């Protein structure tokens, strides 16, 4: 059952919502930065410097929260976001490692990405 802030319980964290949340490169960036930070790191939404409006930042963080990837708590005038590392690793072992390993400058249409897709298709 979701808590009063909209965080799903560990059992409610589903693959579909998690993958949908991670489909957006800005949301993956947030998760990657939190995954690469020391465990327990909490940051304000504005500290990520996302190049979008405040309303869009709010939307991105709500999506991450409702998917179960982050936990947000109110701290005065701001909300602190932390990665639900243990919960995610419990539900989807290795997922955070994959997200952490992605480089931000990778172009989905690059030859490296195409080579990987072709390799995956050949190995099926």
């Amino acid at each position: 059952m979701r808590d009063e802030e909209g965080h799903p319980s560990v059992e409610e964290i589903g693959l579909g919502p998690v993958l949908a949340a991670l489909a957006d490169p800005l949301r993956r960036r947030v998760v990657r930065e939190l995954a690469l930070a020391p465990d327990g790191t909490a940051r304000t939404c504005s500290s990520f410097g996302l190049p979008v409006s405040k309303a869009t930042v709010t939307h991105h963080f709500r999506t991450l929260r409702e998917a179960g990837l982050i936990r947000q708590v109110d701290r005065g005038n701001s909300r602190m976001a932390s990665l639900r590392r243990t919960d995610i690793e419990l539900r989807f072992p290795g997922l955070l490692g994959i997200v952490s390993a992605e480089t931000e400058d990778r172009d989905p249409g690059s030859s490296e990405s195409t080579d990987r897709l072709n390799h995956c298709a050949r190995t099926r």
Side-chain angles (χ1 to χ4, degrees):
M1 179 164 214
R2 292 185 184 271
D3 67 12
E4 63 279 351
E5 298 293 324
H7 302 103
S9 67
V10 176
E11 299 79 23
E12 291 177 310
I13 299 173
L15 184 60
V18 166
L19 292 178
L22 292 174
D24 183 89
L26 292 179
R27 292 193 291 260
R28 273 196 319 277
R29 178 175 135 189
V30 169
V31 171
R32 181 174 44 257
E33 287 185 27
L34 289 171
L36 293 171
D39 197 20
T41 296
R43 293 176 52 183
T44 63
C45 300
S46 62
S47 73
F48 292 92
L50 300 180
V52 293
S53 70
K54 185 177 178 181
T56 303
V57 168
T58 300
H59 165 75
H60 283 313
F61 278 84
R62 182 179 63 241
T63 300
L64 292 169
R65 182 182 68 243
E66 290 177 352
L69 289 162
I70 63 169
R71 181 166 304 282
Q72 286 186 293
V73 294
D74 289 330
R75 296 283 160 85
N77 293 340
S78 62
R79 296 190 90 181
M80 301 296 287
S82 59
L83 186 64
R84 292 180 64 178
R85 186 183 313 267
T86 303
D87 296 342
I88 298 304
E89 284 299 325
L90 179 67
R91 296 287 290 153
F92 312 109
L95 179 64
L96 293 176
I98 294 167
V99 173
S100 297
E102 180 186 35
T103 58
E104 280 191 68
D105 55 89
R106 181 172 292 155
D107 176 8
S110 72
S111 61
E112 178 184 348
S113 296
T114 303
D115 291 345
R116 284 184 187 202
L117 287 173
N118 290 336
H119 173 75
C120 290
R122 285 191 305 269
T123 58
R124 285 188 182 190

